[in-house]
Amino acid sequence: MARAGMERWRGRLALVTGASGGIGAAVTRALVQQGLKVVGCARTVGNIEELAAECKSAGYPGTLIPYRCDLSNEEDILSMFSAVRSQHGGVDICINSAGLARPDTLLSGSTSGWKNMFNVNVLALSICTREAYQSMKERNVDDGHIININSMSGHRVPPNSATHFYSATKYTVTALTEGLRQELREAQTHIRATCISPGVVETQFAFRLHDKDPEKAAAIYEVMKCLKPEDVAEAVIYVLSSPPHVQIGDIQMRPTEQVV
């Protein structure tokens, strides 16, 4: 069902990173339901292709275009934006949903693990943001939106050494989003920037973080009624449907039962 405030986005193009699962897939589905053309990207596109088929068979008014992109590779990102420009015109909404955590502590973590988190959580997000803005600017799009899927770990440091570097990358996302908001104002544009910062969401996130201890990963989701990816997607729709004069800086959302 079309949501009030979403009418102006029908037929326009949104880029969603990390669209192969979890929050990214839920956001992608929600946007297609609202009639948008969505480029969903990830390193592997099989899941996105399945989602595109589901959306089509369900009769959703929008379209999902799967695109393979390794977000840790800048050339891949630039190639994707070039393809979007030549085939679809350009990006009106950019949703940076891709993110990852590795259990590399500050005292004994691997440099490769740190780099992996930084490349995806910070650099890829920044490159996609820059390219999305340039795409909007060159087409005189003055009402675009850039949404960063952040984390509550970007606002407090949990007492869990396995996620301290991850938390640092998410604090960076908090700073980047506010810096982006300021630069967009300086550029005298009405393009908006927003963070959405969820707490524990039931996805494959914990299983990838604790890939050597699946029981530990499962326990994270069993101690409380967690957020669902669809809850975060609902927040994205709320942000996009807000009136043009409303700037939503950050939505912090936790499971009701979450303590930290």
Side-chain angles (χ1 to χ4, degrees):
M1 183 179 296
R3 287 280 293 276
M6 288 297 292
E7 302 88 352
R8 68 190 184 91
W9 294 116
R10 286 179 70 91
R12 298 178 71 178
L13 191 135
L15 171 70
V16 181
T17 68
S20 61
I23 294 171
V27 169
T28 297
R29 180 184 287 105
L31 294 176
V32 176
Q33 285 177 319
Q34 294 301 316
L36 279 79
K37 181 186 293 185
V38 182
V39 173
C41 76
R43 282 180 300 179
T44 55
V45 295
N47 289 351
I48 307 176
E49 290 169 345
E50 291 179 8
L51 179 57
E54 289 175 23
C55 291
K56 186 174 182 179
S57 65
Y60 296 155
T63 306
L64 173 53
I65 303 152
Y67 196 95
R68 187 207 166 278
C69 180
D70 181 354
L71 291 165
S72 65
N73 185 324
E74 182 176 12
E75 292 305 315
D76 257 28
I77 298 174
L78 298 181
S79 176
M80 175 177 64
F81 274 91
S82 177
V84 171
R85 180 183 297 107
S86 61
Q87 298 171 26
H88 307 289
V91 174
D92 299 306
I93 297 167
C94 178
I95 300 178
N96 291 303
S97 180
L100 60 89
R102 298 300 307 153
D104 288 280
T105 69
L106 301 180
L107 296 182
S108 60
S110 69
T111 304
S112 62
W114 295 341
K115 284 183 176 179
N116 198 9
M117 286 184 273
F118 190 81
N119 285 340
V120 174
N121 298 358
V122 177
L123 284 183
L125 176 146
S126 299
I127 295 167
C128 288
T129 295
R130 179 189 68 202
E131 297 303 311
Y133 170 70
Q134 293 298 329
S135 175
M136 296 174 200
K137 183 181 178 182
E138 68 188 19
R139 293 175 298 120
N140 296 315
V141 171
D142 192 51
D143 65 342
H145 212 129
I146 297 166
I147 298 176
N148 294 327
I149 304 300
N150 196 359
S151 169
M152 285 303 302
S153 290
H155 300 279
R156 84 282 188 270
V157 181
N160 178 1
S161 60
T163 62
H164 285 162
F165 193 93
Y166 168 78
S167 183
T169 67
K170 290 302 186 177
Y171 264 82
T172 305
V173 172
T174 301
L176 287 172
T177 308
E178 172 57 15
L180 175 62
R181 185 194 69 82
Q182 294 181 20
E183 290 192 26
L184 290 170
R185 299 290 73 72
E186 291 167 4
Q188 297 184 325
T189 174
H190 293 91
I191 298 167
R192 292 177 286 178
T194 301
C195 259
I196 296 178
S197 302
V200 180
V201 185
E202 190 171 358
T203 65
Q204 289 298 305
F205 180 88
F207 290 97
R208 292 178 181 136
L209 172 62
H210 301 294
D211 54 1
K212 294 180 174 62
D213 192 348
E215 290 185 3
K216 183 176 182 179
I220 292 173
Y221 300 134
E222 291 170 356
V223 296
M224 67 183 124
K225 185 174 177 59
C226 301
L227 296 177
K228 301 293 185 183
E230 291 73 21
D231 298 322
V232 184
E234 185 69 19
V236 169
I237 297 301
Y238 169 74
V239 167
L240 290 173
S241 63
S242 62
H245 70 283
V246 176
Q247 171 78 54
I248 298 172
D250 196 350
I251 293 178
Q252 297 183 20
M253 52 194 298
R254 292 181 177 93
T256 303
E257 298 174 358
Q258 184 172 342
V259 176
V260 178

